Amino acid sequence: MRWFLKIGAVVLTALFLYYLWIFGHIVYWRHANPSSSSFMDAQLSRLQEDDPDAELRHRWVAYDRISGNLKRAVIAAEDAKFVDHEGFDWEGIEVAFEKNLKQGRIVAGGSTISQQLAKNLFLSSKKTPWRKIDEAFITVMLEAVLDKRRILEIYLNVIEWGDGVFGAEAAARHYYRTSAARLSSGQAAKLAAMVPNPRYYDTHRNARGLASKTRIIQRRMSQALAP
């Protein structure tokens, strides 16, 4: 029993230090920009297995230098209630659960932009129960420390948009040879449509369903509220 209590104490201490480390990063990012993310590090390692000199395409841009079209498109596509919820869209989670239950497999996620940012910054792409618990804790910390504008700014600068392509500026230049500030409504909607599977759409830009999804997002953009 004594050894069990000691092991439990060690585990709890390790967890406390782990989340304290994460919390410290989030506080620091109130005024400083992340130089990388867990997803970026993982993809760079993958690319360098084939080419040791490989580099990611990524360039940070300030919130005001990202097109309002892209902000609204991503919110319309990924998290329509972004400005209103506190990190979790419980109604969206319930709808996703019912869809998955009906299909007998995972066909819908229900994750908010805040949850996706938590995953991208600190976690892996592996879907495990423990990762979802981690994601929830980190989401609470993000929402407690950062305002919605800062959460969206970091999100748009770190998410994957192609094979080795990260962030809005790199995506705009990779797909349209323009800046993130100059993205049109249609261009922004298509980039938002690519978010769930960016590496696939990077090599299948005329994939079945992508055009229709882009049109749906574009129609919804006028209703999307960006911070």
Side-chain angles (χ1 to χ4, degrees):
M1 186 64 180
R2 199 182 313 166
W3 276 106
F4 178 79
L5 291 174
K6 286 183 178 180
I7 292 171
V10 169
V11 170
L12 288 174
T13 301
L15 283 173
F16 173 77
L17 292 175
Y18 167 66
Y19 286 119
L20 183 63
W21 175 80
I22 289 176
F23 185 75
H25 278 76
I26 295 172
V27 171
Y28 178 68
W29 290 335
R30 289 182 67 178
H31 305 292
N33 300 325
S35 59
S36 187
S37 70
S38 177
F39 271 38
M40 291 168 72
D41 292 341
Q43 292 311 314
L44 181 59
S45 296
R46 179 184 62 83
L47 291 172
Q48 289 183 342
E49 288 179 2
D50 296 325
D51 178 8
D53 297 323
E55 295 181 355
L56 300 178
R57 280 166 283 186
H58 175 249
R59 178 184 171 189
W60 186 279
V61 287
Y63 189 81
D64 292 337
R65 292 176 60 196
I66 300 174
S67 167
N69 288 322
L70 186 61
K71 295 167 189 172
R72 290 189 295 273
V74 168
I75 289 172
E78 297 294 306
D79 187 0
K81 299 178 181 177
F82 174 66
V83 297
D84 297 318
H85 64 62
E86 297 181 352
F88 306 93
D89 179 4
W90 299 110
E91 184 179 343
I93 292 171
E94 183 179 354
V95 170
F97 177 77
E98 290 174 354
K99 285 183 179 179
N100 295 336
L101 193 64
K102 185 176 181 179
Q103 295 292 325
R105 58 190 176 90
I106 297 177
V107 295
S111 292
T112 63
I113 284 174
S114 302
Q115 287 175 273
Q116 292 179 47
L117 180 59
K119 178 180 66 177
N120 273 266
L121 287 173
F122 295 106
L123 308 176
S124 73
S125 59
K126 295 179 180 178
K127 296 181 179 180
T128 64
W130 177 250
R131 197 206 72 180
K132 295 301 292 185
I133 295 171
D134 252 352
E135 182 184 293
F137 276 117
I138 298 168
T139 297
V140 170
M141 287 189 273
L142 286 169
E143 288 277 343
V145 175
L146 307 177
D147 60 28
K148 292 289 187 177
R149 177 187 169 107
R150 184 58 173 163
I151 289 173
L152 186 60
E153 179 183 25
I154 296 175
Y155 178 82
L156 291 172
N157 272 287
V158 303
I159 61 170
E160 186 177 19
W161 247 307
D163 194 18
V165 180
F166 285 84
E169 184 70 14
R173 296 190 181 279
H174 179 62
Y175 292 105
Y176 299 113
R177 297 185 180 181
T178 189
S179 67
R182 291 177 169 269
L183 287 167
S184 69
S185 173
Q187 290 169 340
K190 189 169 184 178
L191 286 179
M194 293 178 175
V195 168
N197 202 354
R199 270 175 276 161
Y200 175 79
Y201 289 128
D202 191 357
T203 55
H204 299 81
R205 300 185 190 186
N206 297 312
R208 182 181 179 183
L210 183 60
S212 61
K213 188 176 180 182
T214 298
R215 288 192 294 271
I216 292 170
I217 292 170
Q218 197 167 7
R219 287 197 298 268
R220 293 175 178 173
M221 284 169 60
S222 62
Q223 305 298 319
L225 298 176

